[in-house]
Amino acid sequence: MGSATGTGTAALPDLPASRTESDGSVVIRVLSYNIRSMRDDVAALARVIRACRPDVVCVQEAPRFFRWRKAAARLARTSGLVYVSGGATASGPMILSSLRAHVERTEDVLLPRTPGLHQRGFATAVLRFGRARLGVLSCHLSIKDWERHEQGRLLLDRLAALDVPHAVAAGDLNDRPDGRTFGLLADALQDGWATKPWGREHTTRLGDPLQRIDAVFATEGVEVLGCGVPMGLPGITEGDLRAATDHLPVLAALRVPAA
């Protein structure tokens, strides 16, 4: 069991650590996090990310305007990670990774825009961890149901277009598990929390109405070893979670087979 954080939050059972198995498969940690354009406590944000020890971070609401690349580089550096793709070029979604990942290719995708609504996009990458290859897609879907559902279809198309046997999609869905877009994705992919719940379920800010609107999904063949909000994980305090941004992070441990 992990140690207590000193905030009254119960300690979490250990989540599998990153490693390479004897058969060439890899265990990786994938973190999804809406960071609200780094408008809050960036030091607290970096502490939360570091404590999760992620191999991949799917960011939403990354900085998109003046000197956004400098802000993205700062977050990567203070979190012990490197920038991979996205940011302003994907209209908010971004991907960071540890040095463990070899970046094979990246592509930022802007989605069809509805007048009067925010431009949306996907940050995508194909990463290699030794003999295992993984497609990654970070998303932040629309607040409007009809547009969000169409973006969910485009997400599945884009994930397939990465043309790799195993992939993950993670992000802020602006939809709950009983919504039709969440359901569309959960029917086609493994919903991490529903498959192997770990930690806290709800991803809205502490004190807000309980909702699970952020998620990590994986394709068939990827083994979900645990997924949820890492409240109670050693090194993560409730104070930092409150100060970092207005969403809670979702952390998943996944086993990806060798190619």
Side-chain angles (χ1 to χ4, degrees), residues 56-123:
V56 180
V57 183
C58 291
V59 173
Q60 301 85 49
E61 291 194 35
R64 294 184 294 129
F65 301 111
F66 184 64
R67 293 182 176 174
W68 70 269
R69 292 185 186 277
K70 183 176 181 180
R74 176 191 175 194
L75 178 63
R77 183 179 64 253
T78 56
S79 302
L81 302 167
V82 295
Y83 169 84
V84 174
S85 184
T89 49
S91 198
M94 183 170 72
I95 299 172
L96 306 176
S97 79
S98 69
L99 291 174
R100 186 182 179 211
H102 171 77
V103 181
E104 290 193 1
R105 65 180 189 269
T106 66
E107 183 178 7
D108 298 329
V109 180
L110 292 178
L111 302 179
R113 183 175 184 180
T114 301
L117 296 179
H118 289 301
Q119 174 72 64
R120 303 285 177 171
F122 301 144

Side-chain angles (χ1 to χ4, degrees), residues 15-37:
L15 193 69
S18 303
R19 62 181 182 270
T20 300
E21 308 282 21
S22 58
D23 62 357
S25 65
V26 296
V27 175
I28 64 169
R29 289 185 170 199
V30 176
L31 182 69
S32 183
Y33 210 176
N34 184 320
I35 65 171
R36 208 165 77 117
S37 299

Side-chain angles (χ1 to χ4, degrees), residues 171-177 182 203-204 211-215 247:
D172 178 352
L173 305 185
N174 274 316
D175 202 21
R176 298 185 297 270
F182 203 119
T203 66
T204 41
Q211 300 182 81
R212 182 161 73 94
I213 60 175
D214 306 81
H247 281 242

